[in-house]
Amino acid sequence: MSNLALVTGATSGIGRAFADRLAADGYDLVIVGRRQERLDEFAAAHPEVGIRPVVADLSADEGIDTVARICAAEPLDLLVNNAGVAHYMPLADLPADKARELVKVKVLAPTLITRAAVAGMQERGRGAIVNVAGMIAFSGPAPASVMPRRAVYAGTLAHLVAMSQTLGAELEGTGVQVEVVCPGVVATEFHERQGLDLSAVPRMSAADVVTAALRGLELGEVVCAPGVEDPTLLDTVFRADLAAFAGQSPELASRYRAVRPLNHRTP
């Protein structure tokens, strides 16, 4: 029996690279995307494996529910939550519909799709969930000079990192792995669709991102950073997170104990 994987955002970029690699490795695939013609093109190019194309818009509740039902019903060995949109712009300039689309695609969709898949994986005692985020998830402390503005986008990727880490701990000992992949700038259509020309910026290939993700699963990594040579940098970040978490107290910290009235503060 072949292994079965479901990949969202499978028609281009990192998702297409995942689907290509998994098909080459003999996986049967459920490929999810918004463009029927691209899904059909992929299926036609890979007659050697079983391909189920699913047209679904993960910015819509109906699309999320369609994919979640498949994840709950099928014996998935691997789930790749890759679908994404960018919408890089300051929060005040971000139209409400674009903010809603971004949060649905990068927060709500992977959360509900993973929820649907994980119970069956636990019952079978095996499986892996890969969430595709990015190094922008770690950029929150960056100064104002760092461009482009991307508060909501960075926040959605940070959600994927925290959810993956916490879910990985929840699933310890069940045989189900969780990994979040955090590449830097990748050579795909992703930025071009936002009107950003990054042709002069050094970029990793989507195929290399997939190679790192699959090797990261072998290594047991929960956070895979394909372009970070020194993994102790990530370990330092995570130890600092836990130190701050452990450093809390029910007592008010001393720096907050003397508060002047708002109307007495200097601008």
Side-chain angles (χ1 to χ4, degrees), residues 89-173:
M89 62 186 73
L91 179 57
D93 299 335
L94 182 64
D97 61 334
K98 291 186 181 295
R100 186 176 292 110
E101 179 185 20
L102 178 51
V103 172
K104 280 198 167 184
V105 172
K106 292 307 289 183
V107 176
L108 188 62
T111 300
L112 294 182
I113 290 169
T114 297
R115 174 187 173 276
V118 75
M121 288 183 175
Q122 283 183 279
E123 290 174 4
R124 294 186 292 275
R126 69 181 190 279
I129 297 160
V130 175
N131 295 314
V132 179
M135 289 305 292
I136 286 176
F138 302 100
S139 69
S145 59
V146 174
M147 297 289 283
R149 307 286 186 238
R150 58 199 184 284
V152 179
Y153 183 73
T156 64
L157 299 193
H159 164 80
L160 286 173
V161 172
M163 183 181 77
S164 299
Q165 290 175 305
T166 309
L167 181 60
E170 288 181 10
L171 296 174
E172 186 174 343

Side-chain angles (χ1 to χ4, degrees), residues 4 16 48 66 84 94 101-102 114 129 173 178 201 217 220 226-227 259 262:
L4 179 63
R16 175 64 186 252
E48 73 279 9
T66 294
L94 182 64
E101 179 185 20
L102 178 51
T114 297
I129 297 160
V178 182
V201 177
L217 285 174
V259 180
L262 287 172

Side-chain angles (χ1 to χ4, degrees), residues 28-42:
D28 289 334
L29 292 168
V30 180
I31 52 172
V32 179
R34 291 184 293 182
R35 290 170 282 189
Q36 182 74 61
E37 67 280 4
R38 285 204 174 188
L39 294 171
D40 291 343
E41 173 198 347
F42 182 90

Side-chain angles (χ1 to χ4, degrees), residues 160-215:
L160 286 173
V161 172
M163 183 181 77
S164 299
Q165 290 175 305
T166 309
L167 181 60
E170 288 181 10
L171 296 174
E172 186 174 343
T174 66
V176 182
Q177 288 183 267
V178 182
E179 178 186 67
V180 60
V181 185
C182 298
V185 182
V186 183
T188 70
E189 301 172 16
F190 185 73
H191 296 96
E192 294 170 11
R193 291 200 298 266
Q194 306 300 315
L196 299 173
D197 182 6
L198 299 183
S199 57
V201 177
R203 295 175 291 172
M204 181 175 287
S205 72
D208 279 350
V209 174
V210 173
T211 295
L214 298 178
R215 177 59 177 154

